[in-house]
Amino acid sequence: MADDFDIGGRSLASRLLIGSALYPSPAIMEQSIRASGAEIVTVSLRREAADGQAGAAFWSIVRDLGVSVLPNTAGCRTVREAVATAEMARELFETNWIKLEVIGDDYSLQPDVFGLVEAAAELVKRGFTVFPYCTEDLVVAKRLVEAGCSILMPWGAPIGTGKGLINPYALGQLRHAFPDIPLIVDAGIGTPSHAMQAMELGYDGVLLNTAVAKAADPVGMASAFKAAVAGGRLAHLAGRMPERDLARPSTPVIGTPFWHQAD
């Protein structure tokens, strides 16, 4: 049974999104992305000239991969800066997709949720498909949807920490509140089991970077995440068994013979 991933007006097979930063080399980045099976790759706006040597080499790899590019506004701390960066990214990368980040705290890299909602509303007006990097807060999510976001990307944990899903209850509440909106866990994923947990919660996808790029074997870890995301999705569709407070034998006891010791 087909289970395509419909997001941003496109239908994809892979539910794993992957970043393009921090790899030991461009060659390992390319091999890792291929091994992951990801069809969406996040990229930061390059401040160097578009025809610069480093930028040209990077784009050559991305074009050869044949993936959809998701530019981001990483490092932006104001609404004005985020909107301007998004406009430059649209021109450079030739896409209306934008992963919107408006950072409010330098230590945790937690989003400035007030600025995030304001920037999202402005970018939607300008014709962008906004992928907002947000917290797992339900009210913030509602405000982003009201602003016109058709996708939500709550964090699992602060960026780069690898701590996994620190608040699975709240993430589950978001899934329940927005059954028809694509939800992607973005940030904090450290191991394939974290990604599988997110998918088992019913999330539509997982976005990660550091967990693969900084692994001892990035290519092998990318393959592991590919399998974990696929397995977690299958588990969600299959439907888990209900939890119970008391033990219940898996082997029926009806008809089991009993022996009584003679006095």
Side-chain angles (χ1 to χ4, degrees):
M1 178 178 174
D3 182 37
D4 289 341
F5 181 27
D6 295 320
I7 188 167
R10 303 178 195 179
S11 183
L12 306 172
S14 174
R15 294 172 179 271
L16 176 60
L17 293 70
I18 196 166
S20 56
L22 304 176
Y23 293 89
S25 71
I28 292 178
M29 178 195 75
E30 178 182 8
Q31 294 167 28
S32 299
I33 292 173
R34 290 190 186 280
S36 74
E39 296 173 89
I40 298 177
V41 174
T42 61
V43 297
S44 297
L45 180 65
R46 300 294 175 115
R47 297 191 180 277
E48 61 216 45
D51 59 350
Q53 184 175 358
F58 174 81
W59 272 112
S60 178
I61 293 173
V62 171
R63 282 193 299 269
D64 289 344
L65 288 169
V67 296
S68 294
V69 173
L70 176 59
N72 65 41
T73 62
C76 292
R77 287 169 171 75
T78 67
V79 173
R80 181 177 180 180
E81 185 182 9
V83 171
T85 301
E87 288 286 11
M88 288 188 287
R90 175 158 61 180
E91 181 177 351
L92 180 60
F93 299 120
E94 299 180 340
T95 178
N96 288 328
W97 282 9
I98 191 71
K99 179 189 172 190
L100 179 60
E101 298 182 26
V102 183
I103 300 302
D105 179 70
D106 290 338
Y107 178 74
S108 67
L109 299 181
Q110 180 165 326
D112 172 358
V113 295
F114 306 102
L116 181 67
V117 172
E118 182 181 346
E122 178 61 29
L123 289 171
V124 169
K125 290 178 184 176
R126 297 186 183 205
F128 284 89
T129 297
V130 178
F131 294 62
Y133 162 63
C134 57
T135 62
E136 72 278 26
D137 186 278
L138 179 60
V139 175
V140 172
K142 289 180 177 179
R143 297 293 180 267
L144 287 168
V145 172
E146 291 169 0
C149 294
S150 57
I151 300 156
L152 295 173
M153 301 180 69
W155 69 357
I159 295 172
T161 61
K163 290 184 176 295
L165 310 188
I166 58 176
N167 195 345
Y169 172 79
L171 291 171
Q173 289 298 300
L174 285 184
R175 178 73 286 175
H176 179 74
F178 303 103
D180 300 321
I181 291 181
L183 298 181
I184 300 168
V185 170
D186 175 17
I189 298 295
T191 67
S193 62
H194 295 158
M196 181 173 286
Q197 182 184 12
M199 299 304 294
E200 289 175 346
L201 282 174
Y203 273 66
D204 297 283
V206 171
L207 193 160
L208 54 89
N209 188 170
T210 309
V212 168
K214 290 300 185 180
D217 176 6
V219 178
M221 187 61 77
S223 296
F225 272 107
K226 177 182 179 180
V229 168
R233 178 64 179 174
L234 286 173
H236 171 69
L237 294 176
R240 62 156 293 161
M241 63 168 284
E243 293 186 16
R244 297 174 57 87
D245 292 327
L246 299 176
R248 182 175 183 178
S250 57
T251 302
V253 296
I254 298 175
T256 301
F258 292 90
W259 288 270
H260 298 279
Q261 185 175 359
D263 291 336

